[in-house]
Amino acid sequence: MKLDKYYRKIIDGVPTAVIVVDQSLRAVFTNTAFRTLFPSGRESGALGRITCCVHGSSECGGEDCKGCPLYDAFDDAICSNSNVTRRVFQKVRTDGITRDVSYSLTVKPLGGGLCMGTIDDAFELEIAQELQTAKNIQQRLLPAGNWAGGKRYSYMYIPCRDIGGDLPDVFTVGNSACGVIADVSGKGISAGMLSAFVKAAYDKTMYSPADAISNLNAKFSELNLDERNYVTVAAVRIDSDSITYSMAGHNVPILLKTGSGITRIMLNSPPVSNWFENPSYYEDVIPYKKGDILVLLTDGVTECKNARGEMFGADGAIKTLSVSRTADEFIKNLENNLKSFNNNLDDDITAIAFDL
């Protein structure tokens, strides 16, 4: 029995996710709503393939599928020739990320060896897709190139969840390269929203890092958030022979590698928050020479802990920088060292490095 093109067009237009399966338990049709929930790009084939199941091989129904409620629901409906309703819990993998999803599946025999499944209560799937969309948007907020103001740079951004709360940004003001690294309070969706605010609110036209942070604090105050929400920031402007820097509650040192060693740069100041009324932010200037390397970090790097509870620390970053000849080499070495130190990162990891 084949589905008539006319009926296919009708089913394809309904908002309910629909899948039609033959007696070999292979999908012969999925509608647009179904493919929106499971963006595999396939209209037919093995159940595991079209639902992005982590076991989604062409051998769908094999050893890996024992106890699969999706597979069993269609199998039971075909064997009993009666409607079957199941709550399906499934691990799906899209864009390299594995998620647990659940939905209500009703299977109805159509005759001719075909069964139609409809999905309801797919709220968890929709959330997973929204998270993926948010992740894609956040990725687009990251620096797009590796040159700014005539300086080559490299960066690392590894969120501990789908959505992160760190923000690396690099841009040009006049003839100067500027770098900003921010770490917002919390993790996950709320942190991601706050980091997006920082990206939009930080004025990239301001020449002074301290003035830009003061302006960011004023805009943050307009959000009227409670004291649990705050942002730490480190900002630099790299001119022809000097670096102007400012910090807002960012207790992680800026590192400058020169021919004579590595300098740890600190500057005490309050975070961007509603904790203080009209806080003051300051900036300072340090010289550099061609061949030096400038590094900005978040505390996800320095506070990374191994299984013994030991911290990677600023010393770990300094040791990594000491054996790195370029900004790009430092970023690669840092990522490798952190993953060797602790493969299960529980905080956002962010760093920017400039070749001066």
Side-chain angles (χ1 to χ4, degrees), residues 24-183:
S24 298
L25 296 180
R26 293 182 66 83
V28 297
F29 172 78
T30 58
N31 71 346
T32 300
F34 187 95
R35 296 191 299 275
T36 299
L37 286 178
F38 300 99
S40 69
R42 297 173 179 269
E43 292 189 30
S44 60
L47 289 175
R49 295 291 292 274
I50 64 173
T51 60
C52 311
C53 174
V54 294
H55 304 301
S57 69
S58 58
E59 301 293 327
C60 185
E63 288 297 315
D64 288 335
C65 302
K66 285 184 176 179
C68 170
L70 172 65
Y71 189 91
D72 289 349
F74 282 102
D75 191 31
D76 291 348
I78 290 173
C79 292
S80 66
N81 196 34
S82 60
N83 292 359
V84 171
T85 299
R86 299 278 166 80
R87 188 68 182 177
V88 177
F89 296 90
Q90 188 178 3
K91 284 186 179 294
V92 301
R93 188 170 181 83
T94 55
D95 295 328
I97 298 173
T98 299
R99 297 184 180 85
D100 294 307
V101 299
S102 66
Y103 50 89
S104 180
L105 172 69
T106 299
V107 182
K108 178 182 179 62
L110 298 177
L114 295 178
C115 283
M116 180 178 70
T118 56
I119 290 178
D120 297 307
D121 193 19
F123 190 56
E124 292 88 345
L125 280 170
E126 293 177 11
I127 289 177
Q129 290 183 345
E130 290 299 324
L131 282 172
Q132 184 59 43
T133 300
K135 179 182 178 181
N136 292 339
I137 291 173
Q138 190 171 64
Q139 289 293 317
R140 293 174 182 271
L141 298 180
L142 299 176
N146 50 20
W147 287 89
K151 303 298 182 185
R152 187 176 180 86
Y153 70 89
S154 186
Y155 73 92
M156 172 178 61
Y157 173 66
I158 306 175
C160 68
R161 299 181 183 176
D162 284 350
I163 310 299
D166 283 1
L167 176 70
D169 204 2
V170 180
F171 51 95
T172 300
V173 174
N175 296 320
S176 302
C178 296
V180 177
I181 198 164
D183 186 358

Side-chain angles (χ1 to χ4, degrees), residues 236 243 245 247 250-256 262-267 284 286 294-295:
V236 298
I243 301 165
Y245 64 92
M247 297 188 186
H250 201 79
N251 59 1
V252 183
I254 295 173
L255 305 178
L256 176 62
I262 296 176
T263 302
R264 298 169 53 144
I265 303 166
M266 302 287 292
L267 187 64
D284 206 346
I286 53 173
L294 178 68
V295 170

Side-chain angles (χ1 to χ4, degrees), residues 131-326:
L131 282 172
Q132 184 59 43
T133 300
K135 179 182 178 181
N136 292 339
I137 291 173
Q138 190 171 64
Q139 289 293 317
R140 293 174 182 271
L141 298 180
L142 299 176
N146 50 20
W147 287 89
K151 303 298 182 185
R152 187 176 180 86
Y153 70 89
S154 186
Y155 73 92
M156 172 178 61
Y157 173 66
I158 306 175
C160 68
R161 299 181 183 176
D162 284 350
I163 310 299
D166 283 1
L167 176 70
D169 204 2
V170 180
F171 51 95
T172 300
V173 174
N175 296 320
S176 302
C178 296
V180 177
I181 198 164
D183 186 358
V184 310
S185 56
K187 296 180 179 68
I189 297 175
S190 60
M193 292 179 66
L194 196 51
S195 68
F197 161 79
V198 174
K199 173 79 173 184
Y202 191 92
D203 191 341
K204 296 181 182 180
T205 66
M206 301 188 80
Y207 191 68
S208 163
D211 288 348
I213 292 176
S214 295
N215 182 65
L216 175 65
N217 189 80
K219 292 180 178 178
F220 181 90
S221 298
E222 295 175 0
L223 297 178
N224 199 29
L225 301 175
D226 62 35
E227 67 279 357
R228 292 172 297 179
N229 296 279
Y230 61 91
V231 185
T232 68
V233 184
V236 298
R237 186 189 72 246
I238 305 170
D239 300 315
S240 59
D241 57 4
S242 65
I243 301 165
T244 302
Y245 64 92
S246 184
M247 297 188 186
H250 201 79
N251 59 1
V252 183
I254 295 173
L255 305 178
L256 176 62
K257 181 182 180 180
T258 65
S260 58
I262 296 176
T263 302
R264 298 169 53 144
I265 303 166
M266 302 287 292
L267 187 64
N268 292 327
S269 56
V272 171
S273 65
N274 289 323
W275 298 353
F276 308 98
E277 187 173 347
N278 298 320
S280 297
Y281 297 99
Y282 306 95
E283 60 189 29
D284 206 346
V285 181
I286 53 173
Y288 73 86
K289 293 182 178 179
K290 183 176 177 58
D292 293 348
I293 301 175
L294 178 68
V295 170
L296 285 72
L297 308 164
T298 60
D299 61 10
V301 174
T302 57
E303 295 179 5
C304 177
K305 292 183 180 180
N306 62 16
R308 296 188 296 274
E310 300 166 334
M311 284 191 180
F312 189 76
D315 288 342
I318 289 172
K319 289 178 182 177
T320 304
L321 182 57
S322 67
V323 298
S324 302
R325 295 165 296 179
T326 65

